[in-house]
Amino acid sequence: MTESIKNRYNYESLYKVAMDIQSVYEAFQVDEFLKSTMDDTWDGLELKDRIIKISDNLGQYLPAKYSEAISIIDKIVMNYGNWLDGFAGFFPIFVEIYGQHEADWDVSMGALARYTQYASSELAVRSFIIKDEKRMMKQMIEWSKSDNEYVRRLSCEGCRPALPWGQALISFKKDPTPILPILEQLKNDISIHVRKSVANNLNDISKTHPELVTKIARNWYGKSKETDWIVKHGCRTLLKNGHRDVLAIFGYQNTMITVESFALSKNAIFIGENISFSFVISTKEETKARLEYGIDYVKFNGKRNRKIFKISEMTLKNSERKQYTKKHSFADISTRKHYPGIHSLTLIINGVEQGKLDFELRSRKVKV
């Protein structure tokens, strides 16, 4: 997927950007901008590096006065879709690269807020947080009260301690307290995009401060359907890790659930094939059940690493029995390469292991 997105930044798309700029700023040197951007290093650049290079080169051909350059971008940024599309991410990064001088603060803050609805400014704000955390977080809190849902989302997404592709905010990994007023402000937001950002921020915090997120979850859960969704999604890592207190918040207690007939379809498969497993669960009294399974993958170095997968969540009625059959693929994908060796499949119910079965993953011999 990253490869296909990267390839959207090509001669045709950048030519359009350059011509749009020239239409409002006649002095913009289209050919020179394209040549210096798509030079002999271009093909080897990954997505993020391409965006940075575009942003950096824009600064070489737009007016040297920062506020004038921003006024030009303001006239064309609306030509590039919305934040979900994200193509115009080089405009917020332009602000990050060229707009951090003290005298440019107000201009930069206004630009980041305007541009975020066309290409989220979540990556660009992080340098400002690192440079002056107190001042920038005051700005983020103000943004959390905006009438614009994209700006409210920016206030939360931009300060996630571990935003994918973004600079890690080390101070927030150590102490996430400055983030909490923003999460409180947005926990009942009408926008699903904002609520999802709140949940993702909570999930980031849970990885370094699980007890803090557990406390927040207890305080928020049961107040509304929307906040319940935030809490559940924000606690997803803790749920996968079998955190007992978090499981209890959602009613997944270590109750008497009986497991029978847990079995694999095969004892050995080849890389690229599927393996199936089945089991039966039952209970004598009504109870909630969260069903998961873990695969202990063999890594390149021969060690093993577990990945948890969700099967289902349900309420079992008195004396109810349910049978499940699940299939799991061992085909190589962009995010996971498989290696031969003894793997394990573990059945997990309400965070508790209920059985483990080993099987062999084999590599096919290529005929010469």
Side-chain angles (χ1 to χ4, degrees):
M1 183 181 292
T2 301
E3 187 73 17
S4 63
I5 297 175
K6 177 183 82 171
N7 291 332
R8 293 172 64 199
Y9 298 92
N10 51 43
Y11 183 87
E12 289 75 17
S13 63
L14 294 187
Y15 179 77
K16 180 184 184 305
V17 172
M19 291 302 293
D20 279 355
I21 294 174
Q22 192 183 63
S23 71
V24 296
Y25 174 53
E26 190 175 349
F28 191 77
Q29 298 174 298
V30 172
D31 290 340
E32 287 77 3
F33 166 73
L34 292 171
K35 287 177 183 177
S36 62
T37 302
M38 301 188 69
D39 59 15
D40 55 5
T41 68
W42 181 258
D43 288 342
L45 296 179
E46 295 303 324
L47 174 59
K48 186 176 180 180
D49 291 329
R50 287 189 178 190
I51 292 173
I52 292 172
K53 184 157 191 175
I54 295 166
S55 307
D56 191 31
N57 273 12
L58 282 173
Q60 309 306 312
Y61 296 95
L62 285 170
K65 188 175 181 180
Y66 176 69
S67 60
E68 291 181 9
I70 290 297
S71 69
I72 291 167
I73 295 173
D74 282 347
K75 296 174 183 176
I76 67 163
V77 66
M78 70 290 298
N79 297 342
Y80 296 93
N82 57 45
W83 71 273
L84 285 170
D85 177 76
F87 174 79
F90 40 80
F91 290 138
I93 300 301
F94 176 87
V95 176
E96 178 186 3
I97 294 173
Y98 293 101
Q100 296 209 37
H101 296 294
E102 176 67 24
D104 296 325
W105 174 269
D106 290 337
V107 174
S108 293
M109 293 302 103
L112 290 171
R114 290 192 300 276
Y115 299 167
T116 199
Q117 61 187 310
Y118 304 108
S120 179
S121 300
E122 64 201 52
L123 297 178
V125 300
R126 300 173 80 79
S127 289
F128 290 90
I129 294 173
I130 291 169
K131 183 176 181 180
D132 191 341
E133 179 182 308
K134 186 174 181 180
R135 187 180 189 185
M136 191 62 203
M137 288 306 290
K138 183 178 179 180
Q139 177 66 66
M140 301 285 267
I141 291 172
E142 286 303 307
W143 280 342
S144 74
K145 303 172 185 176
S146 171
D147 292 336
N148 187 305
E149 67 175 301
Y150 303 109
V151 176
R152 297 197 304 275
R153 178 186 178 275
L154 171 62
S155 74
C156 184
E157 195 73 7
C159 63
R160 286 176 56 183
L163 180 70
W165 289 25
Q167 299 179 72
L169 298 179
I170 303 300
S171 66
F172 292 165
K173 287 186 175 183
K174 293 179 180 177
D175 178 14
T177 303
I179 303 173
L180 302 186
I182 293 174
L183 304 187
E184 285 288 343
Q185 174 68 29
L186 300 176
K187 67 182 181 182
N188 293 306
D189 201 275
I190 60 173
S191 168
I192 181 59
H193 303 305
V194 176
R195 296 198 302 272
K196 185 175 182 180
S197 180
V198 174
N200 287 337
N201 205 319
L202 276 177
N203 189 56
D204 280 3
I205 296 171
S206 75
K207 296 172 183 177
T208 52
H209 294 76
E211 299 314 314
L212 173 60
V213 172
T214 302
K215 181 180 178 181
I216 292 172
R218 283 200 194 99
N219 291 337
W220 289 8
Y221 193 68
K223 302 298 191 299
S224 71
K225 182 175 70 174
E226 290 76 15
T227 307
D228 285 355
W229 182 90
I230 289 175
V231 173
K232 186 75 173 290
H233 198 58
C235 289
R236 60 189 183 273
T237 296
L238 295 178
L239 287 168
K240 281 188 174 183
N241 291 341
H243 193 289
R244 301 308 312 164
D245 291 341
V246 172
L247 284 161
I249 291 172
F250 302 104
Y252 299 118
Q253 306 284 3
N254 189 13
T255 53
M256 294 299 293
I257 297 176
T258 302
V259 177
E260 304 172 62
S261 306
F262 178 37
L264 295 172
S265 59
K266 299 177 181 178
N267 293 322
I269 62 169
F270 288 103
I271 294 173
E273 294 182 338
N274 300 323
I275 195 167
S276 296
F277 63 97
S278 58
F279 59 95
V280 176
I281 58 173
S282 62
T283 182
K284 293 182 179 180
E285 58 184 32
E286 184 172 299
T287 186
K288 293 183 69 174
R290 177 182 171 91
L291 310 182
E292 299 168 298
Y293 67 98
I295 300 288
D296 293 323
Y297 288 99
V298 175
K299 300 196 296 184
F300 177 75
N301 60 9
K303 295 182 179 180
R304 303 208 299 180
N305 182 59
R306 177 171 290 188
K307 174 74 174 175
I308 305 293
F309 301 90
K310 184 178 173 182
I311 301 173
S312 182
E313 294 177 345
M314 85 291 294
T315 297
L316 288 171
K317 299 177 182 178
N318 294 342
S319 303
E320 184 175 11
R321 290 169 58 86
K322 280 185 175 290
Q323 181 172 356
Y324 285 88
T325 299
K326 185 75 177 177
K327 180 171 64 176
H328 187 90
S329 172
F330 282 86
D332 287 341
I333 55 177
S334 60
T335 55
R336 182 178 298 115
K337 181 175 174 58
H338 297 88
Y339 299 95
I342 302 300
H343 291 57
S344 297
L345 190 152
T346 302
L347 181 63
I348 303 168
I349 301 179
N350 291 352
V352 178
E353 293 187 11
Q354 297 289 348
K356 180 185 289 187
L357 300 172
D358 293 338
F359 60 97
E360 184 181 4
L361 186 62
R362 300 171 178 171
S363 58
R364 294 186 185 275
K365 293 182 178 180
V366 179
K367 294 182 178 179
V368 182

